[in-house]
Amino acid sequence: METVFSKMCSPAALKGQAIEGNPEELDELLGQVEIWHYMTSFTDSVALKVAVELLIADIIDHHGQPMSLQKIVENIADAPKPEVSFLYRVMRVLVRRKIFSAHQTDSGDTLYGLTRASKWLLHDTKMTLSPMLLLENHPIHINPAHYISQCIREGTDNGTAFFKCHGHEQFDLTGLNPEYNKLFNEGMVCTARVTSKAVISGYRDGFNKIQSLVDVGGGIGGSLSEIVRAYPHIKGINFDLPHVVATAPKYDGITHVGGDMFESIPKADAIYMKWILHDWSDQHCIKILKNCRKAIPEKTGKVIIVDHVLQPEGNNGLFDEVGYAFDMMLLAHNAGGRERTEQDWKRLFEATGFARYNIIKIKALQSIIEAFPI
């Protein structure tokens, strides 16, 4: 998929900017531009975080129409001395990235409105990515990336980049730090809603014959609650670590069970795993999948994996860039965690006794990957 940046560096764009030179000079210039662009691209995420923390999208949404910067500032909560010029510079970036719209009135004021992107930053809606954005930009979550080069030099025998940064592995820290645990769970819940909607829409017949379903690593039950609401005949079992399910709310048709997926998994007609296996090495995934196979019926059971299928380099799908970005995050956060290609998934299924698999694309970052014992 061609990006705004790639268009900017195209020969036609260079000609339009009256930038001339021999091919070698232009190539050198473009190389410089590319490094500057990627060096500073983190500032887009910083600007998004500012907008989420200040509830800019919500303020505009509640107003019901585009607003001036002054009106937006007047509606920011707990802002005794707002710095309007700072907000202007943040909004300038976000308008350039088409997160917000901006147009001039006849009186010369600039009015800022919502776009299809900023609607995903709203707090007071089920379909939002705001909690995930705050998680991905939190220092606990992002600082381990600074230790990746150390892991390349030394390996991970003494811990992941996350461990080198914080002294604990990620899933241990969620049990030790209530603030991070809350932030992590909220991020997972918001993505669960988005993905579950796509799963339910794109896997319409997949749940019909299932009477019991275990959501392995289901967090506080967000994904499973959406599935059971759409398919009320299903008996849902939300399975996760004891400290995770301890904070889970009650849902009709769902039982919360604490345990360790590396030891055993509750028996059911089918196993559901959303965004779980990408957190773990092949060796860990083999243990989990073998336990899944033991938990389902030999002839009629199946495992439903909702995870990204990384496309080969050179492909230009909607979520390809995001997939490679998440793979970089997993380098920092998890011991052996990675995004996998179809061939990677196939090897895992062959190693764990699943006779066949099927990949179903849905309108989400992830795909549905079915695995069958026979």
Side-chain angles (χ1 to χ4, degrees), residues 138-368:
H138 193 280
I140 290 178
H141 212 68
I142 201 169
N143 285 350
H146 298 292
Y147 292 77
I148 292 175
S149 57
Q150 185 178 340
C151 287
I152 292 173
R153 291 191 185 99
E154 303 172 358
T156 56
D157 289 346
N158 295 321
T160 62
F162 196 97
F163 183 88
K164 294 179 191 301
C165 181
H166 298 301
H168 299 281
E169 294 294 3
Q170 182 180 30
F171 295 122
D172 294 329
L173 190 61
T174 58
L176 297 169
N177 186 322
E179 178 190 355
Y180 182 57
N181 186 52
K182 182 174 182 291
L183 192 70
F184 187 89
N185 286 336
E186 288 175 349
M188 294 303 103
V189 167
C190 87
T191 58
R193 291 193 185 113
V194 174
T195 304
S196 294
K197 180 181 178 182
V199 168
I200 291 166
S201 173
Y203 195 54
R204 292 177 182 174
D205 298 326
F207 295 110
N208 285 341
K209 296 180 181 179
I210 297 173
Q211 298 300 314
S212 57
L213 180 68
V214 177
D215 187 353
V216 173
I220 58 175
S223 288
L224 191 58
S225 68
E226 298 292 331
I227 294 170
V228 171
R229 185 178 295 114
Y231 297 88
H233 70 276
I234 292 177
K235 174 187 175 184
I237 301 169
N238 181 53
F239 181 68
D240 211 313
L241 295 169
H243 77 265
V244 176
V245 296
T247 63
K250 291 183 178 180
Y251 295 105
D252 291 339
I254 293 177
T255 301
H256 297 293
V257 176
D260 185 344
M261 63 187 173
F262 294 107
E263 297 296 329
S264 65
I265 290 170
K267 292 186 180 299
D269 294 337
I271 305 294
Y272 182 82
M273 287 187 287
K274 181 192 76 70
W275 243 6
I276 300 300
L277 295 183
H278 81 157
D279 285 331
W280 299 97
S281 68
D282 286 354
Q283 292 76 15
H284 286 98
C285 288
I286 287 170
K287 288 182 181 179
I288 297 167
L289 286 169
K290 283 184 175 179
N291 286 336
C292 288
R293 201 177 187 287
K294 292 175 185 176
I296 59 175
E298 180 73 18
K299 293 183 178 180
T300 59
K302 63 180 173 180
V303 176
I304 306 162
I305 299 164
V306 181
D307 228 317
H308 187 65
V309 179
L310 196 64
Q311 298 301 308
E313 293 180 37
N315 282 29
N316 290 304
L318 280 175
F319 290 104
D320 286 356
E321 290 299 321
V322 182
Y324 282 101
F326 266 102
D327 192 58
M328 281 293 295
M329 296 178 205
L330 292 167
L331 271 179
H333 290 172
N334 304 92
R338 54 186 293 211
E339 300 294 357
R340 292 178 169 87
T341 64
E342 181 175 349
Q343 288 303 309
D344 294 328
W345 288 110
K346 183 180 179 181
R347 281 191 289 269
L348 284 180
F349 298 142
E350 289 173 346
T352 50
F354 286 92
R356 57 191 177 92
Y357 71 92
N358 184 38
I359 296 176
I360 303 169
K361 290 188 178 296
I362 56 175
K363 295 176 182 177
L365 169 63
Q366 304 91 340
S367 294
I368 295 171

